[in-house]
Amino acid sequence: MSIRVLIIDDDPCVLETLGEMLELEGFVTQAFSHAEGVTDALRADPAGIVLSDLRLPGQDGLALLAELQALDPELPVLLMSGHGDIPLATQAMREGAVDFLEKPVAPETLIERLRQAQRHRQWALAHRDAAPPGDAEASLARQLLGDSAAMVKLREQLLVLAGADIDTLVYGETGSGKDVLARALHEASPRRDQRFMAINCGAMPESLIESELFGHEAGAFTGATQRRIGKLEAAQGGTLFLDEIESMPLAAQIRLLRVLQERCLERLGGTQPIPIDIRVVAASKADLQALSDQGRFRHDLYYRLNVASLRLPPLRERGEDILLLFDYYGREAAERFSRPLPGLGPAQRQQLLSHPWPGNVRELRNTADRFVLGLVGEGLNLTAAADAADEAGSADHESRLEAFECELIRDALAGHQGQVGRAAEALQMSRKTLYRKMKKHGLDKAAFRDGKEPMSQP
């Protein structure tokens, strides 16, 4: 399913620049200079996410957000502003915006947030279209693909934990899909109709992470001119996903521990306790117990989070899923890029199965994209591998044909004591053709006279 990005901005330069940048990154975009028409476009085709400026002529970003929330509460809406509108940003997050970005937005930040929103939209639409109400098991099978024993067991564990509504630790290597698992856990839980909020602790500057998590009051620190709602508060009733929690600074760990214990928080600079009802799913690529033994992660936070844990196996441990996943991501890429899906040859299948996949599912998905586009990049390149294999195979095949032809001519000349005419008749070819082939193989008719057969050439 191709999830397009609907961009709304009244500045033609911004609209054009964003469109070109996102299309170069593989996004499908649809541009609007005002809010009118956006709702109709999504009503006609709901496979989209919205990236809108906050200040628009006529209907502004907040009014558009309210209209879109009424149309589809699960629709990801990302708002942008270059005016430092913190009160409006706070209101937007309360009213359902999944993110608020301050212009100018760093391209890598924008792309990461949009791809995350795309994945969430894909999951929401797939769950809506394909899963009967309450069919959590079918939903998990679509989100966590794989028939290997490890994935079957993981889905069984996740189904049990989904109904338990307890904080959970997720372990997995980089690129293995920890965010997918966390989202699947949310979708299978009783909190599925509430918000799923995510924050990458490793990508957040240490100076900002506490404000991002807990929010702040006006005057809490230099530059805090207005109140801000943090992700913990914004996830009220739903699930908060903390990725790369091993990177969280120790000071933030202390505050988080207190919130998890008391289910109550105070914004930075504030004194009013705010009750929260959330589920926390924390992910790490490192062993948190080992880190806590080394003093790099708080013991008490580790034990508080480790009520239950799930381990997402790396791709190299689920080899029987590789071709299934590659086919899935290949079809997805073919639809996204409007390109035909090339067939996989035996050599390419072997390349996929023998590759160690250090980047796990993320690397496999990128490989599928390159395969569909016929591009070469870092990592495994199936097109190049297939070409090399085909060339090697063709050369070997040609060599064997040449050797076989040489032996046939040698036998014919030997059987007719070097008489080219009779040998040509036996081989059913013209004398001219036989002479040409003899020259190619270095055969001399005189060597076959008197019934003597020359030694084979090495």
Side-chain angles (χ1 to χ4, degrees):
M1 180 185 301
S2 179
I3 304 294
R4 69 197 190 284
V5 181
L6 285 74
I7 311 172
I8 306 100
D9 201 297
D10 61 334
D11 186 331
C13 292
V14 172
L15 206 58
E16 183 179 0
T17 301
L18 283 175
E20 289 180 353
M21 180 187 74
L22 294 179
E23 286 175 6
L24 286 171
E25 292 293 331
F27 291 90
V28 176
T29 65
Q30 188 174 359
F32 297 82
S33 58
H34 46 73
E36 286 73 20
V38 174
T39 303
D40 289 340
L42 285 163
R43 187 177 288 114
D45 180 4
I49 61 175
V50 173
L51 175 65
S52 176
D53 193 22
L54 186 60
R55 295 184 179 272
L56 296 168
Q59 186 182 30
D60 65 12
L62 284 178
L64 174 62
L65 173 64
E67 188 175 299
L68 294 174
Q69 285 283 295
L71 172 68
D72 186 346
E74 293 182 309
L75 175 70
V77 178
L78 296 85
L79 294 177
M80 304 180 293
S81 176
H83 304 278
D85 294 312
I86 296 180
L88 291 177
T90 302
Q91 184 180 348
M93 296 294 284
R94 281 176 173 169
E95 293 180 6
V98 299
D99 221 324
F100 188 89
L101 304 166
E102 189 171 356
K103 292 181 178 178
V105 186
E108 58 273 13
T109 300
L110 178 60
I111 290 165
E112 178 190 351
R113 303 285 175 84
L114 288 174
R115 283 187 173 149
Q116 185 178 58
Q118 275 188 328
R119 290 196 295 270
H120 293 173
R121 188 58 173 167
Q122 284 177 325
W123 290 325
L125 293 177
H127 178 79
R128 179 184 306 169
D129 296 339
D135 192 354
E137 188 173 355
S139 176
L140 288 180
R142 282 188 305 277
Q143 295 180 54
L144 297 171
L145 295 174
D147 297 328
S148 62
M151 290 306 292
V152 171
K153 181 180 179 181
L154 178 65
R155 288 196 295 267
E156 291 173 351
Q157 293 174 327
L158 195 147
L159 200 57
V160 172
L161 283 179
D165 198 33
I166 54 178
D167 295 334
T168 304
L169 269 178
V170 175
Y171 289 104
E173 295 180 1
T174 298
S176 58
K178 298 184 290 295
D179 58 334
V180 177
L181 191 154
R183 178 67 190 223
L185 185 59
H186 171 76
E187 293 287 346
S189 77
R191 297 178 181 269
R192 68 176 67 87
D193 295 328
Q194 302 301 319
R195 300 184 71 181
F196 177 87
M197 302 292 294
I199 180 171
N200 188 320
C201 303
M204 187 67 56
E206 186 171 342
S207 59
L208 296 180
I209 191 167
E210 290 195 53
S211 174
E212 186 76 13
L213 276 173
F214 308 104
H216 63 251
E217 299 287 354
F221 50 84
T222 303
T225 57
Q226 301 288 339
R227 172 185 291 172
R228 173 176 180 152
I229 301 298
K231 289 287 174 61
L232 280 159
E233 192 174 348
Q236 187 71 268
T239 302
L240 177 66
F241 174 50
L242 300 174
D243 198 7
E244 297 189 31
I245 195 171
E246 72 274 13
S247 304
M248 182 179 287
L250 291 175
Q253 291 181 32
I254 295 171
R255 290 182 65 93
L256 177 62
L257 174 64
R258 189 177 304 120
V259 170
L260 295 181
Q261 288 174 334
E262 300 173 3
R263 292 306 192 205
C264 193
L265 65 81
E266 292 178 3
R267 302 188 190 106
L268 297 182
T271 56
Q272 179 182 357
I274 302 169
I276 59 168
D277 172 25
I278 62 171
R279 179 182 199 167
V280 174
V281 179
S284 175
K285 59 180 178 291
D287 184 338
L288 291 184
Q289 184 170 13
L291 290 181
S292 64
D293 291 342
Q294 299 164 14
R296 296 163 56 193
F297 195 85
R298 290 188 64 90
H299 272 287
D300 43 11
L301 179 57
Y302 165 68
Y303 288 118
R304 183 64 189 79
L305 287 170
N306 195 34
V307 180
S309 64
L310 294 168
R311 178 182 177 271
L312 192 54
L315 195 53
R316 63 180 176 276
E317 292 182 9
R318 38 187 295 223
E320 55 266 57
D321 293 336
I322 289 173
L323 295 180
L324 181 152
L325 287 167
F326 188 82
D327 179 72
Y328 174 82
Y329 288 119
R331 292 180 186 278
E332 185 183 76
E335 182 178 352
R336 188 167 70 249
F337 299 127
S338 299
R339 299 283 295 266
L341 178 63
L344 274 177
Q348 293 165 318
R349 290 175 181 270
Q350 186 56 43
Q351 287 284 327
L352 288 169
L353 293 172
S354 60
H355 188 67
W357 300 109
N360 290 293
V361 178
R362 184 183 301 153
E363 181 187 359
L364 184 142
R365 185 170 59 236
N366 292 340
T367 301
D369 284 354
R370 289 198 302 271
F371 179 62
V372 169
L373 292 170
L375 299 177
V376 175
E378 293 184 5
L380 179 64
N381 288 293
L382 290 178
T383 302
D387 291 345
D390 288 345
E391 288 175 8
S394 296
D396 180 61
H397 182 63
E398 184 68 25
S399 176
R400 285 186 280 112
L401 284 177
E402 293 286 339
F404 182 64
E405 182 183 69
C406 181
E407 284 302 313
L408 284 178
I409 295 173
R410 184 188 299 277
D411 290 343
L413 289 171
H416 296 90
Q417 290 79 44
Q419 297 181 45
V420 175
R422 294 176 63 186
E425 288 178 8
L427 293 168
Q428 296 183 342
M429 65 178 65
S430 67
R431 292 169 62 96
K432 183 178 180 180
T433 299
L434 180 55
Y435 271 119
R436 180 170 53 80
K437 290 184 177 291
M438 289 168 60
K439 182 178 181 181
K440 180 178 70 173
H441 294 295
L443 299 174
D444 183 357
K445 63 180 181 180
F448 293 89
R449 290 174 182 166
D450 303 324
K452 295 179 179 179
E453 182 180 349
M455 296 289 291
S456 297
Q457 298 295 317

